[in-house]
Amino acid sequence: MPGYRDSLGFKFLQATKHDRLELFRRERENIAPAPWFKVYPEAPKVPLPKPSFGAENFWKALIERRSIRKYTRQALSLDEISLLCFAAQGITAQAERYLLRTAPSAGALYPVETYLFVNRALDLTPGIYHLEVQDFVLEELAQGEFGQALAEASLSQYMCAKAPLVFVWSVIPRRTMSKYGSRGVRYIFMDVAHICQNVLLAATAMGLGACPIGAFFDDEVNQILELDGEEETVVYMASVGYPAE
Ligand SMILES: Cc1cc2nc3c(=O)[nH]c(=O)nc-3n(C[C@H](O)[C@H](O)[C@H](O)COP(=O)(O)O)c2cc1C
């Protein structure tokens, strides 16, 4: 069994360190980029309502955020889903070709894609949706109940079936790695963590509860989303709903 120094993680961390002497001399990895945006042109579109912001207290949300794993049966409204999507990847400014968002991203390269597993929502059929960030619409990928399949793919974490909504985040590594090489892998995980934390804090501020989820069988979740697991692969999830007492 490999110890810390023999582990893949250790080698990755050491090999991807920036070094003042090596930075400009190191042989660059030649990684072709990927398109900046993903769209499902054939998918039916569900426009998200313009986010309606309340006067929630940021510090209160920070103090009150906890990982909540038990939810009531209450469905989420489309307004609530819109606010959560905005927290995740809402566009807030444009700088030249870059569409800047609520969460920061290394090099403004935005490697993360957002999918929603909707189990119970008002005005939204249960199913799987992709957030199309440029137009702020949901693209319907499949209708039906996928909560149970997601729970089983998530090491039997049944909150994925019981929560009204589960966010699933994938990454397209080429977007970031074409500029930063293997070091970009560090940034990709930072990017997705920023997005997830925005959603967790927004959920708390809205009186909802959420739980980040890192334990899942990657390729089983990829399979549900029909992702190849190489050019695009799932990295993080979060369940959201009204907290049960
Ligand atoms: C990267 C990451 C992965 C996590 N994965 C899971 C998970 O798969 N299932 C779960 O129930 N909680 C998961 N959590 C939540 C942690 O258990 C939780 O954040 C921790 O116990 C601290 O509690 P708090 O979030 O209420 O402050 C994860 C948290 C992080 C940051």
Side-chain angles (χ1 to χ4, degrees), residues 129-166:
Y129 297 83
H130 170 250
L131 175 63
E132 201 276 271
V133 291
Q134 285 182 98
D135 294 331
F136 202 56
V137 300
L138 294 180
E139 296 172 318
E140 183 193 290
L141 306 186
Q143 286 193 2
E145 303 272 341
F146 291 90
Q148 189 69 18
L150 188 62
E152 280 162 20
S154 307
L155 283 72
S156 300
Q157 299 199 64
Y158 287 102
M159 62 186 165
C160 293
K162 293 190 174 144
L165 171 65
V166 184

Side-chain angles (χ1 to χ4, degrees), residues 7-17 177 181-187 189:
S7 69
L8 196 58
F10 177 84
K11 287 176 192 153
F12 170 80
L13 279 176
Q14 299 310 312
T16 57
K17 279 181 175 171
M177 291 180 73
S182 290
R183 186 175 171 87
V185 173
R186 294 172 175 232
Y187 301 155
F189 286 99

Side-chain angles (χ1 to χ4, degrees), residues 20 62 64 68 74 76 97 104 118 123 149 166 176-177 189 214:
R20 190 177 286 275
L62 265 189
E64 289 183 351
I68 303 294
Q74 192 174 340
L76 295 188
R97 74 157 181 87
V118 175
D123 309 318
V166 184
T176 301
M177 291 180 73
F189 286 99

Side-chain angles (χ1 to χ4, degrees), residues 99-134:
L99 296 179
L100 306 177
R101 325 241 171 121
T102 47
S105 172
L109 293 167
Y110 304 104
V112 178
E113 294 293 324
T114 297
Y115 297 87
L116 287 80
F117 280 63
V118 175
N119 295 327
R120 275 187 316 286
L122 308 173
D123 309 318
L124 196 58
T125 311
I128 302 176
Y129 297 83
H130 170 250
L131 175 63
E132 201 276 271
V133 291
Q134 285 182 98

Side-chain angles (χ1 to χ4, degrees), residues 10 17 56 71 85 126 138 147 165 170 201 220 226 228 232:
F10 177 84
K17 279 181 175 171
E56 291 85 1
Y71 311 102
C85 287
L138 294 180
L165 171 65
S170 71
L201 289 175
E220 290 189 21
E226 297 182 14
D228 70 358
E232 180 174 357

